[in-house]
Amino acid sequence: MPTPVPTLPTDSEGLLKLLRHKEGTWVQWGIACQMLQKMGENSLAIFENTGFEPIQQNQIVVASQVYASLQAGNAADIVLAHFEQKGSDILHELRVLSQSERVTMATFALEKNLDVLEAKDVVKALKEAASVANLPEGFTRHPGDAVVLQVLKAAQGKIDPQERTRLIARGLRFAHSEKARAAIERLLMDMANPSKKKAPNLPNFRYDGEDNIPRILPVAGYLPLTLEKFRSVPQVSEVVPFGIVRGEGAEAWATLPGWFVVHQAEDGVIVACNTDTLKTSINQEVLSALRDRPEDILVLVDRAQREWDENSYFAIAGEDGNLKFAWFEAQPEVELLGKVTLTLRPKRFFDEEASKDRWQFEE
């Protein structure tokens, strides 16, 4: 334990001697470094005369200022006594907080026996919580509840059981208010009794050949398709009452049946592909509608519909820069480029080969 000194020297030689022999507490060392700097000594000279490296000087100077704010903020004697002897690295992390937050955080760090990395994470949670205007009902601005808010946010969409368990354990350790603890306990119950949502069916329609008032829409191209080509297709306009199409830039057009879902598309773009190609662009385990033989299909994407819902598939950007389709169980973080409103398959024949012989087909 450092040998205490009643007062700090006022001359540079005395201050350097105090640091060289590590007399007193680290708080006094930080004050001594600051005094020397004000006397014109640079950090390199202090290092050469005392052995205190510049990065260490900076830490104890800042931490000693935080300690002074704890004293001014009437922190408990047990907190002051603890941090006077050790924990300069922890107090250094508290530099970004207000005086009242420093007192609360220092007390919390002592109660929970936090190390410097844990303290840094809690300070980050406090800063994030400070930006939330309206906290959930029953939550407080206490560091423990700030950690719970951070845990709840991180747990959204987490599917790794080990990571979820780690987050829940952290929340239970730090939760301060009853509401915060209850929120973590609900996470624990949800983990014990998961209710996985079932993927919806694709919006499948089969062309009948008898529908009236078709709609002409631009074709972006065939999968694999770049995002640039998909986005570059201009929105078409139709002149009522005959549906005359006006559009520029599209190299190909397709006519779709005049179903309600087709006319409802505000900014419809068609993507052509084969069912096998589509399987590579979407989770295969949810494609119950694409389990039969391969065939060419048209996918209608309404770029105007970008609001997520759990019963629909959406166009998104793939990691390779190409267009992909995906279903999300929960609100995704990726940008939604449009909603899949229809997948159109060709007219079905009982026996396509036999139908080529007209007498067999008519018989």
Side-chain angles (χ1 to χ4, degrees), residues 198-204 275 278-279 282-293 313 345:
K198 184 180 179 181
N201 292 326
L202 281 166
N204 276 306
T275 51
L278 183 58
K279 287 180 181 180
I282 198 168
N283 294 333
Q284 294 189 35
E285 63 269 18
V286 302
L287 290 182
S288 58
L290 299 176
R291 290 176 180 168
D292 53 358
R293 62 182 179 179
Y313 291 83
R345 310 176 75 173

PDB file of all heavy atoms in Angstrom, residues 198-204 275 278-279 282-293 313 345:
ATOM      1  N   LYS A 198     -44.573 -20.266 -38.052  1.00  0.00           N
ATOM      2  CA  LYS A 198     -44.546 -21.062 -39.264  1.00  0.00           C
ATOM      3  C   LYS A 198     -44.463 -20.140 -40.473  1.00  0.00           C
ATOM      4  O   LYS A 198     -45.158 -19.135 -40.560  1.00  0.00           O
ATOM      5  CB  LYS A 198     -45.811 -21.928 -39.351  1.00  0.00           C
ATOM      6  CG  LYS A 198     -45.810 -22.864 -40.539  1.00  0.00           C
ATOM      7  CD  LYS A 198     -47.083 -23.696 -40.561  1.00  0.00           C
ATOM      8  CE  LYS A 198     -47.108 -24.618 -41.764  1.00  0.00           C
ATOM      9  NZ  LYS A 198     -48.356 -25.424 -41.824  1.00  0.00           N
ATOM     10  N   ALA A 199     -43.590 -20.494 -41.389  1.00  0.00           N
ATOM     11  CA  ALA A 199     -43.440 -19.669 -42.594  1.00  0.00           C
ATOM     12  C   ALA A 199     -44.721 -19.696 -43.423  1.00  0.00           C
ATOM     13  O   ALA A 199     -45.374 -20.736 -43.530  1.00  0.00           O
ATOM     14  CB  ALA A 199     -42.274 -20.186 -43.434  1.00  0.00           C
ATOM     15  N   PRO A 200     -45.107 -18.558 -43.996  1.00  0.00           N
ATOM     16  CA  PRO A 200     -46.332 -18.518 -44.797  1.00  0.00           C
ATOM     17  C   PRO A 200     -46.114 -19.151 -46.167  1.00  0.00           C
ATOM     18  O   PRO A 200     -44.973 -19.366 -46.597  1.00  0.00           O
ATOM     19  CB  PRO A 200     -46.603 -17.021 -44.933  1.00  0.00           C
ATOM     20  CG  PRO A 200     -45.231 -16.420 -44.905  1.00  0.00           C
ATOM     21  CD  PRO A 200     -44.444 -17.256 -43.942  1.00  0.00           C
ATOM     22  N   ASN A 201     -47.206 -19.450 -46.850  1.00  0.00           N
ATOM     23  CA  ASN A 201     -47.118 -19.935 -48.227  1.00  0.00           C
ATOM     24  C   ASN A 201     -46.858 -18.766 -49.170  1.00  0.00           C
ATOM     25  O   ASN A 201     -47.256 -17.633 -48.912  1.00  0.00           O
ATOM     26  CB  ASN A 201     -48.421 -20.632 -48.628  1.00  0.00           C
ATOM     27  CG  ASN A 201     -48.636 -21.926 -47.873  1.00  0.00           C
ATOM     28  OD1 ASN A 201     -47.684 -22.631 -47.561  1.00  0.00           O
ATOM     29  ND2 ASN A 201     -49.881 -22.226 -47.563  1.00  0.00           N
ATOM     30  N   LEU A 202     -46.173 -19.045 -50.251  1.00  0.00           N
ATOM     31  CA  LEU A 202     -45.998 -18.023 -51.277  1.00  0.00           C
ATOM     32  C   LEU A 202     -47.347 -17.676 -51.909  1.00  0.00           C
ATOM     33  O   LEU A 202     -48.229 -18.544 -51.994  1.00  0.00           O
ATOM     34  CB  LEU A 202     -45.049 -18.526 -52.362  1.00  0.00           C
ATOM     35  CG  LEU A 202     -43.553 -18.469 -52.031  1.00  0.00           C
ATOM     36  CD1 LEU A 202     -42.773 -19.297 -53.027  1.00  0.00           C
ATOM     37  CD2 LEU A 202     -43.067 -17.028 -52.049  1.00  0.00           C
ATOM     38  N   PRO A 203     -47.535 -16.425 -52.355  1.00  0.00           N
ATOM     39  CA  PRO A 203     -48.807 -16.038 -52.987  1.00  0.00           C
ATOM     40  C   PRO A 203     -48.912 -16.601 -54.404  1.00  0.00           C
ATOM     41  O   PRO A 203     -48.724 -15.898 -55.389  1.00  0.00           O
ATOM     42  CB  PRO A 203     -48.742 -14.508 -52.981  1.00  0.00           C
ATOM     43  CG  PRO A 203     -47.280 -14.204 -53.028  1.00  0.00           C
ATOM     44  CD  PRO A 203     -46.612 -15.283 -52.234  1.00  0.00           C
ATOM     45  N   ASN A 204     -49.207 -17.899 -54.522  1.00  0.00           N
ATOM     46  CA  ASN A 204     -49.211 -18.578 -55.812  1.00  0.00           C
ATOM     47  C   ASN A 204     -50.533 -18.438 -56.555  1.00  0.00           C
ATOM     48  O   ASN A 204     -51.608 -18.601 -55.974  1.00  0.00           O
ATOM     49  CB  ASN A 204     -48.928 -20.076 -55.616  1.00  0.00           C
ATOM     50  CG  ASN A 204     -47.440 -20.360 -55.523  1.00  0.00           C
ATOM     51  OD1 ASN A 204     -46.684 -19.972 -56.409  1.00  0.00           O
ATOM     52  ND2 ASN A 204     -47.019 -21.003 -54.452  1.00  0.00           N
ATOM     53  N   THR A 275     -38.029 -22.039 -61.193  1.00  0.00           N
ATOM     54  CA  THR A 275     -38.252 -22.381 -59.782  1.00  0.00           C
ATOM     55  C   THR A 275     -36.974 -22.870 -59.118  1.00  0.00           C
ATOM     56  O   THR A 275     -36.749 -22.634 -57.930  1.00  0.00           O
ATOM     57  CB  THR A 275     -39.350 -23.449 -59.645  1.00  0.00           C
ATOM     58  OG1 THR A 275     -39.061 -24.540 -60.525  1.00  0.00           O
ATOM     59  CG2 THR A 275     -40.713 -22.877 -59.968  1.00  0.00           C
ATOM     60  N   LEU A 278     -35.066 -19.800 -58.261  1.00  0.00           N
ATOM     61  CA  LEU A 278     -35.689 -19.117 -57.129  1.00  0.00           C
ATOM     62  C   LEU A 278     -35.297 -19.772 -55.813  1.00  0.00           C
ATOM     63  O   LEU A 278     -35.109 -19.108 -54.796  1.00  0.00           O
ATOM     64  CB  LEU A 278     -37.217 -19.122 -57.289  1.00  0.00           C
ATOM     65  CG  LEU A 278     -38.011 -18.379 -56.207  1.00  0.00           C
ATOM     66  CD1 LEU A 278     -37.594 -16.923 -56.130  1.00  0.00           C
ATOM     67  CD2 LEU A 278     -39.498 -18.487 -56.485  1.00  0.00           C
ATOM     68  N   LYS A 279     -35.145 -21.089 -55.828  1.00  0.00           N
ATOM     69  CA  LYS A 279     -34.782 -21.795 -54.600  1.00  0.00           C
ATOM     70  C   LYS A 279     -33.416 -21.352 -54.083  1.00  0.00           C
ATOM     71  O   LYS A 279     -33.168 -21.398 -52.884  1.00  0.00           O
ATOM     72  CB  LYS A 279     -34.772 -23.303 -54.842  1.00  0.00           C
ATOM     73  CG  LYS A 279     -36.164 -23.911 -54.978  1.00  0.00           C
ATOM     74  CD  LYS A 279     -36.071 -25.410 -55.217  1.00  0.00           C
ATOM     75  CE  LYS A 279     -37.458 -26.018 -55.390  1.00  0.00           C
ATOM     76  NZ  LYS A 279     -37.396 -27.480 -55.626  1.00  0.00           N
ATOM     77  N   ILE A 282     -33.810 -17.989 -51.921  1.00  0.00           N
ATOM     78  CA  ILE A 282     -34.726 -17.935 -50.796  1.00  0.00           C
ATOM     79  C   ILE A 282     -34.553 -19.197 -49.976  1.00  0.00           C
ATOM     80  O   ILE A 282     -34.062 -20.209 -50.472  1.00  0.00           O
ATOM     81  CB  ILE A 282     -36.186 -17.790 -51.310  1.00  0.00           C
ATOM     82  CG1 ILE A 282     -37.127 -17.298 -50.219  1.00  0.00           C
ATOM     83  CG2 ILE A 282     -36.697 -19.079 -51.898  1.00  0.00           C
ATOM     84  CD1 ILE A 282     -38.481 -16.882 -50.738  1.00  0.00           C
ATOM     85  N   ASN A 283     -34.928 -19.156 -48.694  1.00  0.00           N
ATOM     86  CA  ASN A 283     -34.768 -20.321 -47.831  1.00  0.00           C
ATOM     87  C   ASN A 283     -35.554 -21.507 -48.373  1.00  0.00           C
ATOM     88  O   ASN A 283     -36.779 -21.490 -48.433  1.00  0.00           O
ATOM     89  CB  ASN A 283     -35.257 -20.012 -46.417  1.00  0.00           C
ATOM     90  CG  ASN A 283     -34.387 -18.971 -45.762  1.00  0.00           C
ATOM     91  OD1 ASN A 283     -33.224 -18.857 -46.109  1.00  0.00           O
ATOM     92  ND2 ASN A 283     -34.940 -18.220 -44.826  1.00  0.00           N
ATOM     93  N   GLN A 284     -34.868 -22.605 -48.721  1.00  0.00           N
ATOM     94  CA  GLN A 284     -35.535 -23.725 -49.363  1.00  0.00           C
ATOM     95  C   GLN A 284     -36.525 -24.414 -48.436  1.00  0.00           C
ATOM     96  O   GLN A 284     -37.516 -24.968 -48.885  1.00  0.00           O
ATOM     97  CB  GLN A 284     -34.492 -24.734 -49.858  1.00  0.00           C
ATOM     98  CG  GLN A 284     -33.599 -24.178 -50.974  1.00  0.00           C
ATOM     99  CD  GLN A 284     -32.733 -25.265 -51.583  1.00  0.00           C
ATOM    100  OE1 GLN A 284     -33.157 -26.399 -51.696  1.00  0.00           O
ATOM    101  NE2 GLN A 284     -31.535 -24.900 -51.977  1.00  0.00           N
ATOM    102  N   GLU A 285     -36.259 -24.396 -47.122  1.00  0.00           N
ATOM    103  CA  GLU A 285     -37.124 -25.155 -46.235  1.00  0.00           C
ATOM    104  C   GLU A 285     -38.528 -24.591 -46.127  1.00  0.00           C
ATOM    105  O   GLU A 285     -39.432 -25.249 -45.620  1.00  0.00           O
ATOM    106  CB  GLU A 285     -36.499 -25.220 -44.824  1.00  0.00           C
ATOM    107  CG  GLU A 285     -36.352 -23.874 -44.132  1.00  0.00           C
ATOM    108  CD  GLU A 285     -35.008 -23.239 -44.422  1.00  0.00           C
ATOM    109  OE1 GLU A 285     -34.369 -23.661 -45.391  1.00  0.00           O
ATOM    110  OE2 GLU A 285     -34.630 -22.322 -43.675  1.00  0.00           O
ATOM    111  N   VAL A 286     -38.730 -23.346 -46.573  1.00  0.00           N
ATOM    112  CA  VAL A 286     -40.066 -22.765 -46.482  1.00  0.00           C
ATOM    113  C   VAL A 286     -40.799 -22.786 -47.812  1.00  0.00           C
ATOM    114  O   VAL A 286     -41.905 -22.291 -47.915  1.00  0.00           O
ATOM    115  CB  VAL A 286     -40.006 -21.312 -45.957  1.00  0.00           C
ATOM    116  CG1 VAL A 286     -39.346 -21.271 -44.606  1.00  0.00           C
ATOM    117  CG2 VAL A 286     -39.297 -20.412 -46.938  1.00  0.00           C
ATOM    118  N   LEU A 287     -40.191 -23.341 -48.848  1.00  0.00           N
ATOM    119  CA  LEU A 287     -40.800 -23.290 -50.165  1.00  0.00           C
ATOM    120  C   LEU A 287     -41.617 -24.545 -50.448  1.00  0.00           C
ATOM    121  O   LEU A 287     -41.270 -25.344 -51.308  1.00  0.00           O
ATOM    122  CB  LEU A 287     -39.722 -23.100 -51.235  1.00  0.00           C
ATOM    123  CG  LEU A 287     -39.060 -21.709 -51.238  1.00  0.00           C
ATOM    124  CD1 LEU A 287     -38.055 -21.614 -52.342  1.00  0.00           C
ATOM    125  CD2 LEU A 287     -40.088 -20.636 -51.370  1.00  0.00           C
ATOM    126  N   SER A 288     -42.675 -24.741 -49.684  1.00  0.00           N
ATOM    127  CA  SER A 288     -43.517 -25.902 -49.914  1.00  0.00           C
ATOM    128  C   SER A 288     -44.192 -25.850 -51.275  1.00  0.00           C
ATOM    129  O   SER A 288     -44.568 -26.870 -51.848  1.00  0.00           O
ATOM    130  CB  SER A 288     -44.586 -25.981 -48.817  1.00  0.00           C
ATOM    131  OG  SER A 288     -45.360 -24.802 -48.811  1.00  0.00           O
ATOM    132  N   ALA A 289     -44.325 -24.616 -51.803  1.00  0.00           N
ATOM    133  CA  ALA A 289     -45.011 -24.462 -53.087  1.00  0.00           C
ATOM    134  C   ALA A 289     -44.104 -24.746 -54.280  1.00  0.00           C
ATOM    135  O   ALA A 289     -44.555 -24.741 -55.408  1.00  0.00           O
ATOM    136  CB  ALA A 289     -45.569 -23.046 -53.207  1.00  0.00           C
ATOM    137  N   LEU A 290     -42.820 -24.983 -54.034  1.00  0.00           N
ATOM    138  CA  LEU A 290     -41.889 -25.167 -55.134  1.00  0.00           C
ATOM    139  C   LEU A 290     -41.217 -26.535 -55.093  1.00  0.00           C
ATOM    140  O   LEU A 290     -40.095 -26.704 -55.535  1.00  0.00           O
ATOM    141  CB  LEU A 290     -40.812 -24.072 -55.095  1.00  0.00           C
ATOM    142  CG  LEU A 290     -41.312 -22.633 -55.243  1.00  0.00           C
ATOM    143  CD1 LEU A 290     -40.149 -21.676 -55.088  1.00  0.00           C
ATOM    144  CD2 LEU A 290     -42.001 -22.427 -56.573  1.00  0.00           C
ATOM    145  N   ARG A 291     -41.909 -27.536 -54.558  1.00  0.00           N
ATOM    146  CA  ARG A 291     -41.293 -28.835 -54.384  1.00  0.00           C
ATOM    147  C   ARG A 291     -41.459 -29.755 -55.601  1.00  0.00           C
ATOM    148  O   ARG A 291     -40.869 -30.813 -55.669  1.00  0.00           O
ATOM    149  CB  ARG A 291     -41.887 -29.523 -53.150  1.00  0.00           C
ATOM    150  CG  ARG A 291     -41.462 -28.856 -51.844  1.00  0.00           C
ATOM    151  CD  ARG A 291     -42.157 -29.502 -50.670  1.00  0.00           C
ATOM    152  NE  ARG A 291     -41.753 -28.857 -49.418  1.00  0.00           N
ATOM    153  CZ  ARG A 291     -42.363 -29.051 -48.259  1.00  0.00           C
ATOM    154  NH1 ARG A 291     -43.389 -29.867 -48.174  1.00  0.00           N
ATOM    155  NH2 ARG A 291     -41.937 -28.441 -47.179  1.00  0.00           N
ATOM    156  N   ASP A 292     -42.334 -29.372 -56.528  1.00  0.00           N
ATOM    157  CA  ASP A 292     -42.551 -30.232 -57.680  1.00  0.00           C
ATOM    158  C   ASP A 292     -41.518 -29.926 -58.757  1.00  0.00           C
ATOM    159  O   ASP A 292     -40.513 -29.277 -58.515  1.00  0.00           O
ATOM    160  CB  ASP A 292     -43.989 -30.078 -58.193  1.00  0.00           C
ATOM    161  CG  ASP A 292     -44.342 -28.619 -58.444  1.00  0.00           C
ATOM    162  OD1 ASP A 292     -43.494 -27.735 -58.180  1.00  0.00           O
ATOM    163  OD2 ASP A 292     -45.437 -28.364 -58.922  1.00  0.00           O
ATOM    164  N   ARG A 293     -41.803 -30.362 -59.971  1.00  0.00           N
ATOM    165  CA  ARG A 293     -40.818 -30.254 -61.043  1.00  0.00           C
ATOM    166  C   ARG A 293     -40.501 -28.791 -61.370  1.00  0.00           C
ATOM    167  O   ARG A 293     -41.325 -27.898 -61.206  1.00  0.00           O
ATOM    168  CB  ARG A 293     -41.368 -30.928 -62.295  1.00  0.00           C
ATOM    169  CG  ARG A 293     -42.648 -30.264 -62.801  1.00  0.00           C
ATOM    170  CD  ARG A 293     -43.188 -30.999 -64.009  1.00  0.00           C
ATOM    171  NE  ARG A 293     -44.418 -30.366 -64.456  1.00  0.00           N
ATOM    172  CZ  ARG A 293     -45.114 -30.781 -65.507  1.00  0.00           C
ATOM    173  NH1 ARG A 293     -44.680 -31.811 -66.191  1.00  0.00           N
ATOM    174  NH2 ARG A 293     -46.225 -30.165 -65.852  1.00  0.00           N
ATOM    175  N   TYR A 313     -43.206 -12.348 -48.440  1.00  0.00           N
ATOM    176  CA  TYR A 313     -41.806 -12.399 -48.847  1.00  0.00           C
ATOM    177  C   TYR A 313     -41.419 -11.043 -49.430  1.00  0.00           C
ATOM    178  O   TYR A 313     -42.270 -10.316 -49.960  1.00  0.00           O
ATOM    179  CB  TYR A 313     -41.582 -13.495 -49.893  1.00  0.00           C
ATOM    180  CG  TYR A 313     -41.744 -14.882 -49.340  1.00  0.00           C
ATOM    181  CD1 TYR A 313     -43.008 -15.463 -49.217  1.00  0.00           C
ATOM    182  CD2 TYR A 313     -40.641 -15.614 -48.940  1.00  0.00           C
ATOM    183  CE1 TYR A 313     -43.161 -16.740 -48.696  1.00  0.00           C
ATOM    184  CE2 TYR A 313     -40.785 -16.898 -48.425  1.00  0.00           C
ATOM    185  CZ  TYR A 313     -42.046 -17.451 -48.305  1.00  0.00           C
ATOM    186  OH  TYR A 313     -42.195 -18.704 -47.790  1.00  0.00           O
ATOM    187  N   ARG A 345     -47.234 -18.953 -62.597  1.00  0.00           N
ATOM    188  CA  ARG A 345     -46.730 -20.147 -63.251  1.00  0.00           C
ATOM    189  C   ARG A 345     -47.517 -20.373 -64.547  1.00  0.00           C
ATOM    190  O   ARG A 345     -48.644 -19.911 -64.688  1.00  0.00           O
ATOM    191  CB  ARG A 345     -46.870 -21.340 -62.310  1.00  0.00           C
ATOM    192  CG  ARG A 345     -46.301 -21.031 -60.927  1.00  0.00           C
ATOM    193  CD  ARG A 345     -46.506 -22.147 -59.941  1.00  0.00           C
ATOM    194  NE  ARG A 345     -45.595 -23.247 -60.206  1.00  0.00           N
ATOM    195  CZ  ARG A 345     -45.471 -24.301 -59.401  1.00  0.00           C
ATOM    196  NH1 ARG A 345     -46.219 -24.391 -58.310  1.00  0.00           N
ATOM    197  NH2 ARG A 345     -44.630 -25.260 -59.689  1.00  0.00           N
TER     198      ARG A 345
END
